[in-house]
Amino acid sequence: MSFYVTTPIFYGNGEPHLGHAYSTMAADILARHMRQRGEDVFFLTGTDEHGEPIAQAAEKQGLTPQELVDRSAQSFRDMAAKVDATNDFFIRTTDQGHIERVQAVVDRVKENGFVYEGTYEGWYCPRCADFKNENEIGPGDTCLIHEIPLDRETEQNWFFRLSAFQDELEKLYEENPGMIQPDFRRNEALAFIRGGLNDVSLSRSQISWGVPLSWDPDQVMYVWFDALLNYYTALGYAREGEDLTGRFWPASWHIIAKDILKFHTVYWPAFLMAAGIEVPQRIFIHGFLLMGDKKMSKSLGNVLDPFEVIEKFGADALRFYCFREVSFGQDGSISTEGFETRYESELANDFGNLASRTLAMISRYRDGVVPEAGPDPLLLADFEGITDRVSALLDDAQIGQALEEIWVLVRRLNRYVEEAQPWVLAKDEADAERLDQVLYSLAEGLRVLTLLLHPYLPASTDILLEALAEPDQGLAPFGSRPGGVKVEKIDPLFPKL
Ligand code: ME8
């Protein structure tokens, strides 16, 4: 089966922060997990490089737009690498391959009769790059998100007949209740659609930094249509000489935050329908990471630097913390103190310790060879079906809940060590068989959990899988690997600071 997951493409006028890293890590966890299941995976991220905000930011910095986006594309690429994302391609909307394909899709939308010429008059937020309808305008004609005055725009441009898709969109979400996750976001999208859809500008005439329309090159594509199309165009040119569209489209998951719900649940499927292209399978809309009670954002300046955290604690710790602390789908506060607490108590104590002591005991009591014994019946029921449960949760992008399922068993194994007391068993030759069973069960439990944790903690689980002499990273049920394997001791995976 093919599995195609995307992040938003981030604006090429800013520096990456933890909010961007969050979506990237989420998509990466799903991609890694699906690869473990042997699926044919494609994972896309990238940068959104056209439009007025970028042209303006470049001018302010005394750069050409291209110079600015070249720099920030590099920063976003670095960010993805630093959080250990395994994206299969990094799209930039200034790629020639993207531009050509955007033009081709828009031409189809026009041929299909959904484009007309008209005059736009209304309110526009230059930061959102969004035309606001009545219920999106704050007091004194301001942007509700950025709290800045909106611009009154009047311009001659081309329109997309969004209104023609009202019924089809309603039907889409009524007939596919699971398509937008979490469920309350689907209600939001439906409410927006039922509120009535106005046609939207498809092009801008007073901006030049964008994709020119093939039939009217004085106008450039409205940046949101250009940007949304990235998910589709990338497959056409990500691999030289190969078109991956048939293999991966429609996307399995678009991972986004709630700020761009309207674009992804209303504009995007409508535009695809207009072009005669299949709509994505599912869209996951996560919440905002908050520092205190404020959204982290570039314009508010309260940004937690993921690079600093990674420098000090490693990418695994960041990946773990974000999905452990905040319920995926909800807003959630994060803090340095919260981070340090979880690092100590969960990564270092619960998991790191379990790994170190299991390997140390096998080394001390059995010369590093996992005994050839069977699994302890005491643990069998706990581990029964764990891989399926985690897989089912991750099928629905329940990243935090899947992690919780795994963590329950991490704690279970720690309790098992305390209950079984291998150091007592080791003192009496009469307990040798029981010790074999306990050590085997610990090694096996640790192996199963390490495999399940791999998508969350790729670097430390790589070390551990090597120490456990587990060559294959595919998921495995408890008790499926026989003993007799030589394992190695390890240094603490999450050293105390
Ligand atoms: O909107 N918490 O780009 P953008 C969680 N280019 N996630 C956050 C976040 C926070 N505090 N801040 C940002 C754009 N994000 C468009 C997208 S897609 C075709 C075009 C993440 O750079 C989250 O995924 O403003 C959010 O949707 C995205 O960054 C917005 O990134």
Side-chain angles (χ1 to χ4, degrees), residues 7-13 17-24 47-49 76 128 223-224 226-231 255-261 263-264 286-291 294-298 331:
T7 71
I9 48 170
F10 305 113
Y11 282 131
N13 60 347
H17 60 67
L18 190 55
H20 305 122
Y22 185 57
S23 312
T24 308
T47 38
D48 181 356
E49 305 190 351
F76 279 97
C128 294
V223 65
W224 265 102
D226 165 7
L228 287 161
L229 277 165
N230 91 86
Y231 302 129
I255 307 287
I256 62 166
K258 62 183 187 180
D259 52 341
I260 52 181
L261 175 144
F263 300 103
H264 284 78
H286 64 70
F288 284 147
L289 297 182
L290 311 168
M291 294 287 281
K294 278 272 183 205
K295 181 196 171 205
M296 281 190 318
S297 83
K298 203 171 45 223
D331 287 353

Side-chain angles (χ1 to χ4, degrees), residues 109-421:
V109 172
K110 183 160 184 283
E111 281 156 26
N112 291 344
F114 297 108
V115 175
Y116 64 92
E117 204 169 13
T119 307
Y120 176 77
E121 214 208 313
W123 296 105
Y124 178 79
C125 172
R127 288 249 200 99
C128 294
D130 191 10
F131 303 94
K132 302 292 179 178
N133 60 28
E134 269 140 52
N135 46 22
E136 295 177 300
I137 298 173
D141 300 322
T142 51
C143 170
L144 285 173
I145 297 166
H146 294 100
E147 299 170 2
I148 56 166
L150 296 170
D151 295 340
R152 190 76 194 168
E153 298 268 343
T154 308
E155 65 174 53
Q156 193 68 19
N157 51 34
W158 294 89
F159 277 73
F160 169 54
R161 215 178 280 287
L162 180 65
S163 57
F165 294 91
Q166 170 137 3
D167 291 347
E168 262 180 276
L169 286 174
E170 272 189 54
K171 213 170 113 210
L172 178 70
Y173 295 132
E174 278 157 7
E175 288 175 359
N176 301 281
M179 191 173 158
I180 301 176
Q181 292 290 330
D183 208 41
F184 70 97
R185 297 291 180 202
R186 165 178 172 261
N187 297 336
E188 247 170 72
L190 267 172
F192 188 90
I193 295 162
R194 288 182 183 138
L197 297 181
N198 300 324
D199 294 343
V200 289
S201 290
L202 175 73
S203 65
R204 307 291 317 273
S205 62
Q206 285 151 24
I207 295 172
S208 57
W209 183 241
V211 178
L213 296 178
S214 67
W215 67 89
D216 183 358
D218 288 340
Q219 299 242 349
V220 298
M221 281 273 288
Y222 171 41
V223 65
W224 265 102
F225 289 117
D226 165 7
L228 287 161
L229 277 165
N230 91 86
Y231 302 129
Y232 180 75
T233 62
L235 297 176
Y237 70 97
R239 294 289 173 270
E240 219 185 310
E242 198 183 351
D243 188 340
L244 303 175
T245 315
R247 189 160 138 204
F248 290 109
W249 194 262
S252 315
W253 277 119
H254 292 317
I255 307 287
I256 62 166
K258 62 183 187 180
D259 52 341
I260 52 181
L261 175 144
K262 175 179 80 178
F263 300 103
H264 284 78
T265 62
V266 184
Y267 291 19
W268 178 224
F271 204 70
L272 288 170
M273 288 169 178
I277 299 171
E278 248 185 290
V279 299
Q281 288 174 347
R282 290 199 289 174
I283 304 169
F284 194 99
I285 299 167
H286 64 70
F288 284 147
L289 297 182
L290 311 168
M291 294 287 281
D293 56 4
K294 278 272 183 205
K295 181 196 171 205
M296 281 190 318
S297 83
K298 203 171 45 223
S299 37
L300 295 173
N302 57 341
V303 169
L304 192 140
D305 183 354
F307 294 109
E308 267 172 37
V309 176
I310 291 170
E311 202 63 48
K312 207 163 148 202
F313 298 91
D316 282 10
L318 183 70
R319 295 166 68 105
F320 178 81
Y321 174 68
C322 288
F323 297 98
R324 194 78 181 124
E325 186 74 13
V326 178
S327 166
F328 193 53
Q330 309 288 329
D331 287 353
S333 292
I334 51 162
S335 65
T336 315
E337 306 84 74
F339 177 84
E340 285 171 5
T341 306
R342 283 202 190 264
Y343 180 86
E344 284 272 304
S345 69
E346 300 196 316
L347 283 178
N349 291 348
D350 291 351
F351 186 60
N353 244 346
L354 173 70
S356 306
R357 78 212 278 218
T358 297
L359 292 166
M361 287 188 292
I362 295 170
S363 157
R364 186 171 327 131
Y365 304 135
R366 292 293 181 264
D367 289 326
V369 178
V370 178
E372 301 198 45
D376 192 333
L378 283 175
L379 289 177
L380 272 178
D382 296 311
F383 275 82
E384 174 74 39
I386 180 63
T387 299
D388 291 343
R389 287 204 298 283
V390 169
S391 297
L393 286 166
L394 289 178
D395 278 342
D396 286 334
Q398 299 295 318
I399 295 176
Q401 262 166 283
L403 182 54
E404 170 61 18
E405 286 275 340
I406 303 168
W407 220 255
V408 166
L409 290 181
V410 168
R411 295 200 164 127
R412 174 71 191 101
L413 278 189
N414 277 316
R415 275 205 320 279
Y416 179 71
V417 176
E418 298 307 321
E419 288 160 10
Q421 301 195 309

